[in-house]
Amino acid sequence: MEVKTEAVVLQTMDYKDNDKLLTLFSPTLGKITAGIRGVKKPTAKLNFAAQPFCFAEYVLAEKGGRYTVTSAYMHESFFELRTDITRFYAACAAAEVCRELSFENERYEGLFIGFIECLKSLCLSGEDEAESLVSFLLVALRESGYPIDLGYLEECDGDIGDKLWFDFDDGRFASFERCESGERASVSTYHTLRKCAGLAFDETKTQGGKKRALRLIKAYLSQKTETRFENLGEFIRLIDEE
């Protein structure tokens, strides 16, 4: 049976002498593994389709639940990501999150669109790579049923004080008095998350918040999924704060 689907390459693995195994992320098929033959040869016509982050229409032959790429029509290579190590690791972190939060034969339109938009943003030199990744991670959490509630600013009429806590069970910020369990969270973390979510925020209170926001999201994701998210950790180590 032949299957056509839009997909992006999340991961590649060498297989046999000239073949590869691809982890593809499709908005309609979810996360699938597909073999692609002969792509390690110098003259391979489908070499482009086996590159990390390739976004293409893939034509797959399906037999016994196994997929093989027979042809592909590229939409975008996102080649710029391979020229900057920090942006490359940001893209790897986003791909890692997609791998861990998706399954085969499920639909992921929102997560897929968020991932493609993240890759586009990371290719733009004027965009902040940390903020681009945080924006995507907030989308990924929402689409996966683990949204972070950033409404505390409205609840307290704009006066959040200087002692915030984050409840890892409920995924929400609150004052110490209103949080039954959780950990201390900085005000800069909160305003950085609101900025990346497209909500009202105080720019003067985002200083140093990007790394803190990423660390909080990593801890929250790890708790919910029992996964270490090593690429996300490496990106956090790479970025410099202003």
Side-chain angles (χ1 to χ4, degrees), residues 71-132:
S71 61
Y73 306 92
M74 185 168 64
H75 299 315
E76 180 59 65
S77 69
F78 298 112
F79 178 80
E80 294 85 351
L81 297 175
R82 300 174 220 170
T83 65
D84 185 304
I85 187 64
T86 305
R87 293 177 184 273
F88 178 78
Y89 264 101
C92 288
E96 178 181 49
V97 169
C98 287
R99 288 200 310 273
E100 296 301 330
L101 295 181
S102 60
F103 301 91
E104 190 171 340
N105 296 321
E106 293 190 20
R107 301 182 72 89
Y108 293 97
E109 287 93 343
L111 183 60
F112 184 84
I113 292 171
F115 182 49
I116 295 298
E117 290 302 314
C118 177
L119 296 182
K120 289 179 180 178
S121 179
L122 290 172
C123 287
L124 299 175
S125 59
E127 295 293 325
D128 185 285
E129 61 267 29
E131 292 182 2
S132 295

Side-chain angles (χ1 to χ4, degrees), residues 45-57:
K45 294 182 179 180
L46 287 178
N47 179 272
F48 72 91
Q51 300 301 313
F53 314 121
C54 174
F55 173 34
E57 180 186 64

Side-chain angles (χ1 to χ4, degrees), residues 210-225:
K210 288 181 284 190
K211 269 193 173 182
R212 295 189 183 104
L214 285 164
R215 288 190 184 112
L216 183 144
I217 291 176
K218 181 176 182 294
Y220 183 55
L221 272 168
S222 296
Q223 183 193 50
K224 296 300 183 183
T225 64

Side-chain angles (χ1 to χ4, degrees), residues 195-212:
K195 177 182 181 181
C196 294
L199 302 173
F201 69 100
D202 187 338
E203 184 69 51
T204 66
K205 295 180 179 179
T206 61
Q207 187 75 16
K210 288 181 284 190
K211 269 193 173 182
R212 295 189 183 104

